[in-house]
């Protein structure tokens, strides 16, 4: 089984490109903190290269920017090639299948005073996905269940 689940901060703005066939591809790096630190040492982070394709690529580039937290699910893939000097090169990266918001709009080092990152090539803010607190009046997330029915 090959499944990678990562949560970390983007080290730079995601970069959106298109293949010659017009397929969107986005590459980015996530800084993921290690779980443990040695006594007296600062916690270290690993920098994981990621690649997303098609709608996932467009979603990431529209809604995430440098410093924002992101959660991704995908698989680890390696590839190799020969560079211009004839040396064999290798790359290991996570091929992203799913991407998630892992912080609120106003939190995080990369957030812009509570605003979503702007879409690339546009002066208008990107349309944020609908959240549960912005449902139309009278719309229930779970019809038939009131706050009084919850055990907490």
């Amino acid at each position: 089984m090959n499944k990678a689940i990562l949560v970390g901060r983007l080290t730079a703005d995601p970069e959106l490109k298109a293949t010659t066939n017009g397929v969107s591809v986005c590459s980015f790096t996530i800084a993921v903190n290690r779980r443990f630190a040695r006594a007296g040492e600062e916690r270290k982070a690993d920098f994981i290269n990621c690649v997303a394709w098609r709608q996932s690529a467009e979603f990431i580039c529209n809604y995430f920017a440098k410093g924002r937290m992101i959660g991704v699910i995908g698989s680890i893939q390696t590839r190799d090639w020969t560079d211009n000097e004839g040396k064999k090169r290798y790359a290991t990266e996570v091929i992203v299948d799913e991407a998630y918001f892992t912080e609120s709009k106003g939190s995080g080092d990369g957030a812009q005073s509570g605003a979503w990152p702007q879409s690339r090539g546009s002066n208008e803010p990107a349309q944020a996905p609908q959240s549960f607190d912005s449902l139309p009046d009278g719309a229930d997330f779970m019809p038939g269940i009131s706050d009084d029915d919850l055990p907490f």
Side-chain angles (χ1 to χ4, degrees):
M1 179 182 288
N2 182 355
K3 187 161 195 148
I5 303 171
L6 304 170
V7 175
R9 291 199 182 276
L10 289 161
T11 62
D13 286 342
E15 185 178 337
L16 184 65
K17 294 182 179 179
T19 66
T20 55
N21 294 333
V23 177
S24 299
V25 60
C26 171
S27 58
F28 55 97
T29 301
I30 302 175
V32 179
N33 287 331
R34 293 187 181 175
R35 288 182 63 184
F36 302 103
R38 291 189 175 140
E41 288 185 10
E42 199 172 311
R43 185 183 295 201
K44 294 183 179 180
D46 293 301
F47 296 86
I48 312 295
N49 294 324
C50 300
V51 177
W53 293 88
R54 297 175 179 78
Q55 290 86 2
S56 293
E58 293 169 10
F59 171 75
I60 291 167
C61 286
N62 283 333
Y63 292 107
F64 292 92
K66 179 180 179 178
R68 293 294 309 254
M69 290 287 292
I70 187 172
V72 298
I73 299 175
S75 57
I76 297 171
Q77 184 174 318
T78 59
R79 57 186 172 91
D80 62 76
W81 70 96
T82 304
D83 68 10
N84 294 338
E85 298 172 2
K87 293 182 181 177
K88 190 125 181 167
R89 299 289 183 168
Y90 299 90
T92 302
E93 51 207 5
V94 173
I95 305 302
V96 176
D97 297 321
E98 305 169 44
Y100 297 94
F101 296 105
T102 57
E103 65 185 347
S104 64
K105 286 193 268 186
S107 65
D109 298 337
Q112 305 165 346
S113 64
W116 287 90
Q118 296 201 348
S119 297
R120 308 298 184 259
S122 169
N123 290 332
E124 296 297 318
Q127 179 66 33
Q130 184 177 20
S131 63
F132 300 125
D133 58 338
S134 65
L135 291 173
D137 289 339
D140 287 331
F141 174 66
M142 295 183 69
I145 297 177
S146 72
D147 288 343
D148 297 332
D149 295 331
L150 298 175
F152 47 88

